mmCIF file of all heavy atoms in Angstrom:
data_model
loop_
_atom_site.group_PDB
_atom_site.id
_atom_site.type_symbol
_atom_site.label_atom_id
_atom_site.label_comp_id
_atom_site.label_asym_id
_atom_site.label_seq_id
_atom_site.Cartn_x
_atom_site.Cartn_y
_atom_site.Cartn_z
ATOM 1 N N ALA A 43 -18.228 54.416 -10.757
ATOM 2 C CA ALA A 43 -18.974 54.653 -9.512
ATOM 3 C C ALA A 43 -18.847 56.104 -9.073
ATOM 4 O O ALA A 43 -19.829 56.729 -8.665
ATOM 5 C CB ALA A 43 -18.459 53.724 -8.412
ATOM 6 N N LEU A 46 -20.952 58.270 -11.463
ATOM 7 C CA LEU A 46 -22.379 58.144 -11.163
ATOM 8 C C LEU A 46 -22.749 58.889 -9.891
ATOM 9 O O LEU A 46 -23.817 59.500 -9.800
ATOM 10 C CB LEU A 46 -22.774 56.670 -11.041
ATOM 11 C CG LEU A 46 -22.804 55.874 -12.331
ATOM 12 C CD1 LEU A 46 -23.005 54.396 -12.032
ATOM 13 C CD2 LEU A 46 -23.895 56.386 -13.246
ATOM 14 N N THR A 47 -21.863 58.848 -8.918
ATOM 15 C CA THR A 47 -22.120 59.560 -7.667
ATOM 16 C C THR A 47 -22.085 61.070 -7.891
ATOM 17 O O THR A 47 -22.936 61.803 -7.380
ATOM 18 C CB THR A 47 -21.081 59.161 -6.603
ATOM 19 O OG1 THR A 47 -21.176 57.754 -6.394
ATOM 20 C CG2 THR A 47 -21.325 59.861 -5.291
ATOM 21 N N ARG A 51 -26.636 60.186 -10.500
ATOM 22 C CA ARG A 51 -27.366 59.090 -11.151
ATOM 23 C C ARG A 51 -27.303 57.788 -10.368
ATOM 24 O O ARG A 51 -27.869 56.796 -10.789
ATOM 25 C CB ARG A 51 -26.814 58.869 -12.556
ATOM 26 C CG ARG A 51 -27.103 60.035 -13.453
ATOM 27 C CD ARG A 51 -26.728 59.741 -14.856
ATOM 28 N NE ARG A 51 -27.077 60.881 -15.683
ATOM 29 C CZ ARG A 51 -26.593 61.101 -16.866
ATOM 30 N NH1 ARG A 51 -25.737 60.254 -17.378
ATOM 31 N NH2 ARG A 51 -26.949 62.161 -17.546
ATOM 32 N N ALA A 52 -26.629 57.784 -9.261
ATOM 33 C CA ALA A 52 -26.518 56.565 -8.454
ATOM 34 C C ALA A 52 -27.480 56.631 -7.281
ATOM 35 O O ALA A 52 -27.156 56.272 -6.169
ATOM 36 C CB ALA A 52 -25.086 56.392 -7.971
ATOM 37 N N GLY A 53 -28.659 57.093 -7.516
ATOM 38 C CA GLY A 53 -29.629 57.199 -6.432
ATOM 39 C C GLY A 53 -30.010 58.646 -6.220
ATOM 40 O O GLY A 53 -30.028 59.455 -7.139
ATOM 41 N N ALA A 54 -30.287 58.980 -5.003
ATOM 42 C CA ALA A 54 -30.710 60.340 -4.665
ATOM 43 C C ALA A 54 -29.541 61.310 -4.818
ATOM 44 O O ALA A 54 -28.592 61.036 -5.522
ATOM 45 C CB ALA A 54 -31.261 60.360 -3.239
ATOM 46 N N THR A 57 -24.089 62.060 -1.931
ATOM 47 C CA THR A 57 -23.775 62.095 -0.507
ATOM 48 C C THR A 57 -22.275 61.990 -0.326
ATOM 49 O O THR A 57 -21.581 61.350 -1.118
ATOM 50 C CB THR A 57 -24.453 60.947 0.246
ATOM 51 O OG1 THR A 57 -23.972 59.713 -0.276
ATOM 52 C CG2 THR A 57 -25.964 61.016 0.118
ATOM 53 N N PRO A 59 -20.499 60.321 1.992
ATOM 54 C CA PRO A 59 -19.950 58.972 2.201
ATOM 55 C C PRO A 59 -19.782 58.180 0.900
ATOM 56 O O PRO A 59 -18.791 57.465 0.733
ATOM 57 C CB PRO A 59 -20.959 58.295 3.125
ATOM 58 C CG PRO A 59 -21.640 59.405 3.828
ATOM 59 C CD PRO A 59 -21.680 60.539 2.852
ATOM 60 N N ARG A 60 -20.739 58.322 -0.019
ATOM 61 C CA ARG A 60 -20.602 57.607 -1.294
ATOM 62 C C ARG A 60 -19.430 58.143 -2.104
ATOM 63 O O ARG A 60 -18.696 57.382 -2.726
ATOM 64 C CB ARG A 60 -21.885 57.700 -2.110
ATOM 65 C CG ARG A 60 -22.920 56.715 -1.639
ATOM 66 C CD ARG A 60 -24.039 56.617 -2.613
ATOM 67 N NE ARG A 60 -24.866 57.823 -2.482
ATOM 68 C CZ ARG A 60 -25.824 58.144 -3.320
ATOM 69 N NH1 ARG A 60 -26.077 57.379 -4.342
ATOM 70 N NH2 ARG A 60 -26.532 59.229 -3.130
ATOM 71 N N ALA A 61 -19.270 59.451 -2.115
ATOM 72 C CA ALA A 61 -18.162 60.050 -2.854
ATOM 73 C C ALA A 61 -16.816 59.643 -2.246
ATOM 74 O O ALA A 61 -15.862 59.342 -2.982
ATOM 75 C CB ALA A 61 -18.303 61.568 -2.877
ATOM 76 N N ALA A 64 -16.195 55.874 -3.157
ATOM 77 C CA ALA A 64 -15.803 55.705 -4.559
ATOM 78 C C ALA A 64 -14.416 56.288 -4.806
ATOM 79 O O ALA A 64 -13.618 55.710 -5.556
ATOM 80 C CB ALA A 64 -16.833 56.358 -5.474
ATOM 81 N N GLY A 126 -15.318 49.937 -2.497
ATOM 82 C CA GLY A 126 -16.359 49.536 -3.455
ATOM 83 C C GLY A 126 -17.590 48.973 -2.770
ATOM 84 O O GLY A 126 -18.728 49.285 -3.142
ATOM 85 N N VAL A 127 -17.370 48.153 -1.758
ATOM 86 C CA VAL A 127 -18.498 47.588 -1.010
ATOM 87 C C VAL A 127 -19.243 48.693 -0.261
ATOM 88 O O VAL A 127 -20.482 48.713 -0.227
ATOM 89 C CB VAL A 127 -18.014 46.473 -0.050
ATOM 90 C CG1 VAL A 127 -19.102 46.067 0.916
ATOM 91 C CG2 VAL A 127 -17.527 45.272 -0.849
ATOM 92 N N ALA A 128 -18.486 49.628 0.314
ATOM 93 C CA ALA A 128 -19.131 50.746 1.019
ATOM 94 C C ALA A 128 -19.946 51.595 0.045
ATOM 95 O O ALA A 128 -21.065 52.019 0.364
ATOM 96 C CB ALA A 128 -18.082 51.608 1.713
ATOM 97 N N TRP A 129 -19.416 51.835 -1.158
ATOM 98 C CA TRP A 129 -20.169 52.601 -2.157
ATOM 99 C C TRP A 129 -21.470 51.879 -2.503
ATOM 100 O O TRP A 129 -22.532 52.496 -2.574
ATOM 101 C CB TRP A 129 -19.324 52.814 -3.414
ATOM 102 C CG TRP A 129 -20.058 53.602 -4.455
ATOM 103 C CD1 TRP A 129 -20.172 54.957 -4.514
ATOM 104 C CD2 TRP A 129 -20.809 53.085 -5.552
ATOM 105 N NE1 TRP A 129 -20.935 55.314 -5.595
ATOM 106 C CE2 TRP A 129 -21.348 54.187 -6.251
ATOM 107 C CE3 TRP A 129 -21.081 51.807 -6.035
ATOM 108 C CZ2 TRP A 129 -22.129 54.048 -7.392
ATOM 109 C CZ3 TRP A 129 -21.856 51.667 -7.163
ATOM 110 C CH2 TRP A 129 -22.379 52.776 -7.827
ATOM 111 N N LEU A 130 -21.395 50.573 -2.715
ATOM 112 C CA LEU A 130 -22.610 49.804 -3.006
ATOM 113 C C LEU A 130 -23.602 49.871 -1.850
ATOM 114 O O LEU A 130 -24.813 50.000 -2.054
ATOM 115 C CB LEU A 130 -22.256 48.340 -3.308
ATOM 116 C CG LEU A 130 -21.633 48.074 -4.661
ATOM 117 C CD1 LEU A 130 -21.140 46.638 -4.733
ATOM 118 C CD2 LEU A 130 -22.623 48.354 -5.771
ATOM 119 N N TRP A 131 -23.103 49.781 -0.626
ATOM 120 C CA TRP A 131 -23.962 49.833 0.562
ATOM 121 C C TRP A 131 -24.686 51.175 0.643
ATOM 122 O O TRP A 131 -25.903 51.216 0.818
ATOM 123 C CB TRP A 131 -23.109 49.606 1.809
ATOM 124 C CG TRP A 131 -23.899 49.599 3.073
ATOM 125 C CD1 TRP A 131 -24.236 50.674 3.833
ATOM 126 C CD2 TRP A 131 -24.487 48.471 3.704
ATOM 127 N NE1 TRP A 131 -24.974 50.278 4.913
ATOM 128 C CE2 TRP A 131 -25.139 48.926 4.857
ATOM 129 C CE3 TRP A 131 -24.491 47.105 3.414
ATOM 130 C CZ2 TRP A 131 -25.799 48.065 5.708
ATOM 131 C CZ3 TRP A 131 -25.156 46.256 4.271
ATOM 132 C CH2 TRP A 131 -25.812 46.748 5.403
ATOM 133 N N PHE A 132 -23.926 52.265 0.515
ATOM 134 C CA PHE A 132 -24.548 53.597 0.605
ATOM 135 C C PHE A 132 -25.508 53.857 -0.543
ATOM 136 O O PHE A 132 -26.543 54.499 -0.366
ATOM 137 C CB PHE A 132 -23.472 54.695 0.656
ATOM 138 C CG PHE A 132 -22.649 54.673 1.913
ATOM 139 C CD1 PHE A 132 -21.266 54.758 1.849
ATOM 140 C CD2 PHE A 132 -23.239 54.575 3.163
ATOM 141 C CE1 PHE A 132 -20.495 54.747 2.999
ATOM 142 C CE2 PHE A 132 -22.493 54.574 4.319
ATOM 143 C CZ PHE A 132 -21.112 54.656 4.234
ATOM 144 N N THR A 133 -25.171 53.364 -1.725
ATOM 145 C CA THR A 133 -26.042 53.558 -2.884
ATOM 146 C C THR A 133 -27.333 52.773 -2.722
ATOM 147 O O THR A 133 -28.418 53.277 -2.997
ATOM 148 C CB THR A 133 -25.314 53.147 -4.181
ATOM 149 O OG1 THR A 133 -24.140 53.941 -4.308
ATOM 150 C CG2 THR A 133 -26.191 53.370 -5.395
ATOM 151 N N ALA A 134 -27.225 51.540 -2.266
ATOM 152 C CA ALA A 134 -28.425 50.719 -2.049
ATOM 153 C C ALA A 134 -29.295 51.333 -0.941
ATOM 154 O O ALA A 134 -30.523 51.282 -1.033
ATOM 155 C CB ALA A 134 -28.041 49.301 -1.680
ATOM 156 N N ASP A 135 -28.670 51.891 0.045
ATOM 157 C CA ASP A 135 -29.403 52.514 1.137
ATOM 158 C C ASP A 135 -30.186 53.750 0.659
ATOM 159 O O ASP A 135 -31.239 54.051 1.172
ATOM 160 C CB ASP A 135 -28.431 52.902 2.269
ATOM 161 C CG ASP A 135 -29.161 53.368 3.502
ATOM 162 O OD1 ASP A 135 -30.127 52.691 3.917
ATOM 163 O OD2 ASP A 135 -28.756 54.408 4.069
ATOM 164 N N ALA A 136 -29.637 54.437 -0.339
ATOM 165 C CA ALA A 136 -30.289 55.654 -0.852
ATOM 166 C C ALA A 136 -31.443 55.344 -1.796
ATOM 167 O O ALA A 136 -32.263 56.227 -2.058
ATOM 168 C CB ALA A 136 -29.260 56.525 -1.575
ATOM 169 N N LEU A 137 -31.497 54.139 -2.301
ATOM 170 C CA LEU A 137 -32.571 53.801 -3.259
ATOM 171 C C LEU A 137 -33.886 53.530 -2.589
ATOM 172 O O LEU A 137 -34.103 53.174 -1.546
ATOM 173 C CB LEU A 137 -32.162 52.594 -4.101
ATOM 174 C CG LEU A 137 -30.981 52.846 -5.016
ATOM 175 C CD1 LEU A 137 -30.640 51.548 -5.764
ATOM 176 C CD2 LEU A 137 -31.252 53.927 -6.028
#
Side-chain angles (χ1 to χ4, degrees):
L46 288 172
T47 300
R51 293 188 178 162
T57 61
R60 280 192 285 170
V127 169
W129 180 83
L130 285 171
W131 182 273
F132 293 133
T133 301
D135 188 47
L137 294 178

